[in-house]
Amino acid sequence: MTTHSAHVQGHQMIKKTVTQFERSTKLLVLPFAIALEYVFRHLMKEMVQLVEKGNILCVQLWDVTDDNNHKNYENTYVVKMEPCEDYAIYCDDLFENCELSYGDEIEIYWDSNTNNFKFKLIN
């Protein structure tokens, strides 16, 4: 899995390539260190503890691929991937509506100003 990060417009952007596993499960996997640094440090302590204990955290995800037509996906969840330490964003609607496929390059980040994820399909 290729995952790295960059700073874009004051946000810590996670750039990654969609894997076959992610496509089949409709999960965007966030390695433990990436989740901690780029997502969890922006959430309230109680929210992080909820996910760490194996519960799901309901979040919103905005598709900002088209600058003039943002789409909101409310049925999005952050989950811990047991038994490993990685986390994932479950976003069934996003995978279906964007027709995300194996090998697609994406960017995603937690927007602290609006308290939701922003997603962008690169190719």
Side-chain angles (χ1 to χ4, degrees):
M1 165 186 14
T2 304
T3 305
H4 63 280
S5 59
H7 293 276
V8 176
Q9 299 172 2
H11 300 286
Q12 295 175 310
M13 183 77 63
I14 301 165
K15 294 182 178 190
K16 63 185 283 99
T17 302
V18 176
T19 66
Q20 189 64 33
F21 172 80
E22 290 170 315
R23 174 64 188 129
S24 65
T25 59
K26 296 177 177 45
L27 293 169
L28 294 174
V29 177
L30 300 176
F32 177 77
I34 296 287
L36 261 133
E37 178 66 22
Y38 297 97
V39 179
F40 289 166
R41 73 184 196 104
H42 301 289
L43 299 177
M44 291 187 312
K45 183 179 178 181
E46 295 80 15
M47 296 169 79
V48 174
Q49 289 174 339
L50 181 77
V51 177
E52 287 177 342
K53 291 179 181 176
N55 298 297
I56 63 170
L57 175 64
C58 185
V59 295
Q60 288 190 5
L61 183 143
W62 283 85
D63 180 356
V64 297
T65 302
D66 179 353
D67 292 330
N68 299 318
N69 188 22
H70 295 179
K71 296 176 187 160
N72 179 16
Y73 296 101
E74 293 182 3
N75 294 327
T76 304
Y77 307 95
V78 177
V79 297
K80 185 171 184 177
M81 297 182 66
E82 297 290 345
C84 71
E85 293 186 344
D86 294 339
Y87 293 86
I89 303 167
Y90 174 77
C91 42
D92 184 30
D93 293 342
L94 177 72
F95 272 87
E96 294 305 317
N97 291 339
C98 291
E99 299 179 357
L100 284 181
S101 298
Y102 168 69
D104 283 347
E105 293 181 27
I106 64 167
E107 295 177 339
I108 191 166
Y109 66 92
W110 180 259
D111 186 340
S112 298
N113 297 323
T114 57
N115 289 319
N116 57 31
F117 280 103
K118 297 292 194 298
F119 164 90
K120 189 171 194 173
L121 178 63
I122 304 302
N123 71 341

